[in-house]
Amino acid sequence: MDSEAVWKADAVALADRISTLLGVVRSAEAEIGSLLVEIESRGVMDLFGYRSAARLFEHLADVPKVAAERVVKRARALNAGRALDGSPVPAVAPATGAAAAGGSLSTPMVDAIVGVLGQLAPEHRDDAERSLLAFASSAGHKQVAALGARIVAHLDPDGAEPVGSEPSAPTRELSLRRKRTGVWELTGRFDEETGTRAGALLDSLAERRSGDEGADFRSPQERYGDAFSDAIDLALNSPDLPMQAGERAHVMVAVSLSDLKSGVGQASLGDTGTMSAAEARVHACDSMLIPAVLGEKSEPLNLGRLRRLISAGLRRALFLRDRGCAFPGCHRPPRHCQGHHIRHWAEGGATELGNLVLLCAHHHRLLHRSGWEVRIAADGLPEFRPPAFLDKRRKPRRNNLHQPLPFAA
């Protein structure tokens, strides 16, 4: 249809034209499949010098390797061929191939039928294929797949015979790599059990944040990224984590005292990474410290003793007092939280209960970067003053979501 005919056509005519073109496309795809099978039968190496028909189609069609392999696999199922020794190779779904050549079947429909027939014994395939094709004339590919599942369940109620008595090793693969930009990429594949457990963990940590700082506008991807970071913190804080070279797993951050005090400058992170001094200041609230004196060429001249700022006893006292993240409206429990120095220790703030408050990672960063302020009130409990743009009076707020100890005075 030319542009003028398209403009004049009504809805029915436009839909009919699309259906006609789809038939042409599907018929052409089916013919391409039959040609690929013929090329395989003659020997693709002898004809074109390629190792496989999929490699040839990958270059002819300029499609990804995986897509080319799917096209060839589908073509083999629909078209009879010959092995290199001349012996015939029957098609799994010859009637489906004939219907596809006429342009009446979509690719998902073909895959649904072929997938069902591949699960059946050869003596049952003809009857099943006729039933599926008859149903396909008035149903979509999802409905045909559902019918196929019922056919398979009827003909093979016990399913495939298990291979061996020993359970197979679960699929667990993970790749973590750092790009030049400093961004880390994580990819992996997991078995059903591991994936389900990971999903449950991340779902619980990825809930939209509650708190008086406003609505949570993070995308689902951002929420799950933050949840993964929280899960790493929980794992690193576990007392059962294996030791590495006699020490608990840790990440080393190096920053000068002047930069740490000012929050301006850079800090080294691990072996190759960097972070801002402001970010290092957040982590320095609750960390293990090794004071060092460096020479002119940054060589260590003297190292102090490793010490944790917030001791285990002081941390337990924080857990008992704050009962979780103390920020107004936050429900995070103590195990998800870090100790925050109200007056930073680098500025002379004491590491004592009256100068500490328990905060989750999100609200810890928020307090360092925004206009929120925290103080310990006269009754010994933390309270927060919002920035002026949230409340011009800056009336102090408290978190009333965590229940106090039942025997508190």
Side-chain angles (χ1 to χ4, degrees):
M1 300 175 69
D2 56 30
S3 57
E4 184 176 355
V6 170
W7 182 75
K8 292 181 178 180
D10 59 12
V12 174
L14 293 173
D16 286 345
R17 182 56 179 166
I18 290 176
S19 298
T20 300
L21 292 175
L22 283 174
V24 174
V25 171
R26 292 166 179 171
S27 179
E29 289 176 344
E31 185 176 354
I32 289 172
S34 66
L35 294 175
L36 289 172
V37 172
E38 177 63 23
I39 289 171
E40 273 195 326
S41 299
R42 297 188 189 185
V44 64
M45 178 65 75
D46 294 335
L47 286 175
F48 297 98
Y50 282 84
R51 288 179 297 171
S52 67
R55 283 291 190 183
L56 171 65
F57 186 67
E58 176 187 350
H59 289 171
L60 285 176
D62 190 23
V63 295
K65 177 184 176 183
V66 175
E69 289 174 343
R70 282 198 298 264
V71 169
V72 173
K73 181 179 179 181
R74 186 181 302 116
R76 293 192 193 111
L78 300 181
N79 300 276
R82 296 185 304 277
L84 294 179
D85 60 2
S87 58
V89 178
V92 175
T96 304
S104 60
L105 300 180
S106 67
T107 297
M109 181 71 79
V110 170
D111 290 342
I113 296 174
V114 170
V116 171
L117 299 182
Q119 301 177 63
L120 301 178
E123 60 269 21
H124 298 309
R125 287 176 181 169
D126 290 344
D127 291 339
E129 187 176 19
R130 280 193 292 270
S131 299
L132 293 171
L133 285 173
F135 190 52
S137 62
S138 58
H141 68 275
K142 292 183 179 179
Q143 295 168 290
V144 170
L147 173 62
R150 292 197 294 270
I151 292 174
V152 171
H154 175 72
L155 295 176
D156 187 14
D158 296 328
E161 182 179 355
V163 180
S165 57
E166 292 294 326
S168 59
T171 300
R172 294 173 185 167
E173 299 176 357
L174 188 68
S175 173
L176 180 63
R177 68 186 186 95
R178 180 182 184 275
K179 304 181 72 175
R180 292 181 179 179
T181 58
V183 174
W184 289 73
E185 286 188 346
L186 177 70
T187 57
R189 298 191 307 134
F190 299 99
D191 58 280
E192 184 71 25
E193 178 189 352
T194 303
T196 301
R197 288 189 290 128
L201 171 64
L202 294 178
D203 285 345
S204 66
L205 296 174
E207 294 180 354
R208 293 199 177 276
R209 293 173 180 144
S210 58
D212 288 1
E213 77 274 21
D216 186 353
F217 295 109
R218 292 175 300 164
S219 68
Q221 292 78 11
E222 290 170 334
R223 289 192 288 113
Y224 276 86
D226 289 339
F228 183 78
S229 179
D230 290 343
I232 295 295
D233 286 340
L234 288 173
L236 287 174
N237 290 327
S238 170
D240 300 324
L241 197 66
M243 306 289 279
Q244 288 183 327
E247 297 181 314
R248 290 183 58 187
H250 62 277
V251 175
M252 181 175 289
V253 177
V255 60
S256 71
L257 182 58
S258 60
D259 287 349
L260 186 64
K261 287 182 175 181
S262 67
V264 178
Q266 290 286 316
S268 67
L269 175 65
D271 297 328
T272 58
T274 60
M275 67 190 314
S276 68
E279 188 73 13
R281 187 179 172 91
V282 176
H283 294 288
C285 269
D286 188 4
S287 62
M288 304 284 284
L289 294 178
I290 306 178
V293 178
L294 304 182
E296 294 179 356
K297 298 180 180 179
S298 297
E299 72 275 16
L301 300 180
N302 183 37
L303 290 179
R305 296 184 60 184
L306 177 68
R307 62 187 178 94
R308 173 170 279 283
L309 281 175
I310 302 177
S311 66
L314 193 52
R315 188 178 301 277
R316 285 192 289 269
L318 270 175
F319 286 4
L320 290 173
R321 187 194 70 187
D322 295 345
R323 311 295 294 156
C325 179
F327 194 90
C330 185
H331 65 276
R332 286 294 175 95
R335 64 180 180 276
H336 293 180
C337 298
Q338 307 159 351
H340 166 73
H341 282 71
I342 296 175
R343 183 185 181 195
H344 204 281
W345 61 263
E347 298 170 350
T351 303
E352 59 187 18
L353 192 60
N355 191 45
L356 294 172
V357 64
L358 209 57
L359 295 171
C360 68
H362 165 65
H363 288 122
H364 194 182
R365 286 184 171 85
L366 181 71
L367 206 65
H368 275 270
R369 297 172 178 172
S370 69
W372 282 88
E373 296 176 357
V374 60
R375 65 188 181 190
I376 302 298
D379 59 0
L381 298 177
E383 60 183 19
F384 295 76
R385 298 180 66 208
F389 66 84
L390 287 180
D391 181 0
K392 292 182 179 179
R393 297 178 300 165
R394 303 197 70 191
K395 183 179 179 180
R397 306 180 187 184
R398 293 188 178 187
N399 190 339
N400 58 5
L401 296 182
H402 304 302
Q403 295 296 322
L405 293 174
F407 45 80

